[in-house]
Amino acid sequence: MSFVDEFRKLSRSELQMSLYSTTKQDVEQALISPEGNLSSLLALLSPAAEPYIEQMAQRSVALTRQRFGASLGMYIPLYLSNLCANECDYCGFTMSNKIKRKTLSERELLKELLIVKNMGYDSILLVSGEHETKVGMDYFKQMLPLVKQQFSHVAIEVQPLEQTDYQSLIEDGLDAVMLYQETYNPVTYANHHTRGKKKDFSYRLESPERVAKAGVDKVGLGVLLGLDDWRLDALLMGHHLAYLEKNYWRSRYSISLPRLRPCTGGVPPKVELTDKGLVQMICAFRLFNHQLEISLSTRESPALRDNLFALGVTNVSAGSSTQPGGYDKPYSQLDQFEISDERTPMEVATAMSVRGLNPVWKDWEMGWK
């Protein structure tokens, strides 16, 4: 049994009907005891919950402060390669895009690491396009130890790997794996993923279980908001999260809520997610799961990010580049997507401090595991 089996039992049409037929009374009942209750999560994600967003936000702030204090973890993505063997029409790295391709050498990686380290970071997310022959396990085994020498917390966002691969990377210092489903609608998924291994919806859907079985400390889920109905995608991610926490409780879990952003050859959103909707989603997940880590990237505008910091977010990136080698030599033609918040890390940290929040650059040591 896996979540793939559980997912097949779920009726998308029934869940969608429930989302859009939820009443005011259903929302008020959900607010009584939302923690761990998937029916409550459905109600809090529904259109009927919109008049209650202020109430949800107040409770979300209180719960986040109770569980995480005023701290916000600072992390930064570092792109290793934009080589990709998949055709995904929403991504600037898609294989058919005529962009300059680059994979960092050891020397180039060390230069990037030095720049990022000098920004103050000690938590880093290594990102690459999905090209397992040229940017696969041999490459990761070569590069990860170099990164771990300088950073206490190392996460990866790369192609899905096998359980034994994750176990091998743990030995090299891997702490977390971010692996996003993009959308939980199989039809929409197939429309956007037309070539390459990423076409296999079920394989990707079961991949977080391999991460958890391998013993990785933190597993990150996410959907690309705008590819399909964001309310239903978020709800199904909630089902996925609940399944993983029940069956693989030794790992911690996080979610990312990135909105579709412009990129070379990209696509417009199928369903627009407003700022208000993003607030509703963050608060709904915080009420549903008090210990869940929630990441906020530079896809969002500075003003919106500043207002979201206190609402339930726990991890924040700043000063990001979405291209390999971008911290040393920025070239826009290598970007995966357009960044909205272009402030420096210290500018973002200052914005947090002004709001009574504490930017945390280091909170992890291997000896603490």
Side-chain angles (χ1 to χ4, degrees):
M1 292 289 292
S2 71
F3 181 69
V4 173
D5 302 298
E6 295 294 318
F7 181 79
R8 288 170 179 159
K9 297 176 186 176
L10 297 172
S11 170
R12 290 182 54 84
S13 59
E14 290 180 8
L15 288 174
Q16 192 162 37
M17 184 179 298
S18 296
L19 271 169
Y20 290 95
S21 61
T22 295
T23 65
K24 170 185 175 181
Q25 290 72 27
D26 294 329
V27 176
E28 292 174 352
Q29 182 65 34
L31 285 167
I32 295 174
S33 183
E35 186 178 12
N37 189 323
L38 286 165
S39 295
S40 293
L41 179 63
L42 183 151
L44 297 178
L45 289 169
S46 72
E50 290 182 355
Y52 297 85
I53 289 178
E54 180 61 33
Q55 181 181 343
M56 291 167 60
Q58 291 176 4
R59 290 180 61 177
S60 182
V61 170
L63 287 169
T64 305
R65 296 291 79 78
Q66 180 182 18
R67 174 62 181 82
F68 297 95
S71 298
L72 281 169
M74 302 290 293
Y75 77 95
I76 193 166
L78 190 153
Y79 280 69
L80 299 171
S81 175
N82 61 2
L83 284 174
C84 193
N86 296 316
E87 191 69 40
C88 311
D89 59 7
Y90 54 81
C91 178
F93 290 177
T94 188
M95 63 186 299
S96 64
N97 270 357
K98 305 301 182 183
I99 63 170
K100 184 178 179 181
R101 304 289 176 169
K102 183 174 183 59
T103 301
L104 297 184
S105 65
E106 281 193 18
R107 181 172 175 272
E108 290 168 328
L109 173 63
L110 291 173
K111 291 176 71 175
E112 292 283 285
L113 293 177
L114 178 61
I115 293 169
V116 168
K117 197 68 178 178
N118 286 337
M119 293 181 188
Y121 284 105
D122 196 51
S123 179
I124 193 167
L125 170 64
L126 303 178
V127 187
S128 79
E130 300 188 8
H131 198 298
E132 61 184 51
T133 56
K134 294 186 178 179
V135 191
M137 275 299 293
D138 290 343
Y139 182 79
F140 301 144
K141 293 286 288 182
Q142 175 190 0
M143 297 303 185
L144 188 57
L146 299 177
V147 181
K148 194 62 180 181
Q149 288 173 10
Q150 300 189 47
F151 290 83
S152 298
H153 192 269
V154 180
I156 60 171
E157 185 181 334
V158 301
Q159 67 267 24
L161 304 172
E162 296 304 315
Q163 181 178 335
T164 53
D165 294 331
Y166 291 121
Q167 290 168 333
S168 178
L169 292 177
I170 291 173
E171 297 174 1
D172 293 317
L174 179 65
D175 298 302
V177 174
M178 310 294 116
L179 218 167
Y180 307 146
Q181 188 62 29
E182 317 297 8
T183 177
Y184 284 85
N185 184 334
V187 175
T188 300
Y189 188 95
N191 290 338
H192 289 287
H193 303 93
T194 53
R195 294 174 65 188
K197 194 169 183 179
K198 198 171 179 178
K199 284 179 60 178
D200 191 335
F201 177 88
S202 295
Y203 180 78
R204 194 169 189 89
L205 189 61
E206 69 182 5
S207 294
E209 288 171 72
R210 295 194 298 276
V211 179
K213 286 178 181 178
V216 175
D217 179 67
K218 185 166 80 170
V219 184
L221 305 179
V223 287
L224 187 53
L225 301 164
L227 284 185
D228 204 78
D229 182 341
W230 63 267
R231 297 182 194 273
L232 185 54
D233 265 344
L235 176 60
L236 289 168
M237 182 170 64
H239 278 265
H240 199 175
L241 172 66
Y243 176 90
L244 290 168
E245 285 200 325
K246 177 182 177 181
N247 291 279
Y248 307 101
W249 47 266
R250 289 181 176 85
S251 293
R252 295 182 293 140
Y253 294 90
S254 69
I255 61 169
S256 293
L257 303 171
R259 283 194 279 191
L260 193 62
R261 289 285 298 160
C263 68
T264 303
V267 297
K270 176 181 177 181
V271 179
E272 193 77 39
L273 172 60
T274 64
D275 292 352
K276 184 178 181 181
L278 183 59
V279 170
Q280 180 182 355
M281 193 183 312
I282 290 172
C283 296
F285 271 102
R286 175 55 66 224
L287 270 60
F288 171 67
N289 191 313
H290 299 177
Q291 71 272 8
L292 180 66
E293 297 185 28
I294 301 177
S295 297
L296 184 65
S297 77
T298 53
R299 288 173 180 258
E300 303 301 336
S301 70
L304 179 61
R305 293 221 311 161
D306 289 351
N307 289 324
L308 292 176
F309 286 153
L311 285 185
V313 172
T314 61
N315 299 90
V316 176
S317 60
S320 305
S321 170
T322 65
Q323 51 188 295
Y327 295 112
D328 182 38
K329 297 176 181 178
Y331 297 105
S332 61
Q333 68 267 33
L334 304 181
D335 284 337
Q336 186 184 29
F337 58 85
E338 288 184 12
I339 285 173
S340 184
D341 189 348
E342 297 182 338
R343 292 176 295 179
T344 67
M346 291 311 300
E347 287 173 331
V348 173
T350 298
M352 293 177 184
S353 299
V354 167
R355 288 159 177 78
L357 300 169
N358 180 28
V360 176
W361 303 90
K362 177 183 176 69
D363 68 347
W364 184 265
E365 285 284 358
M366 284 299 294
W368 296 345
K369 291 184 68 175

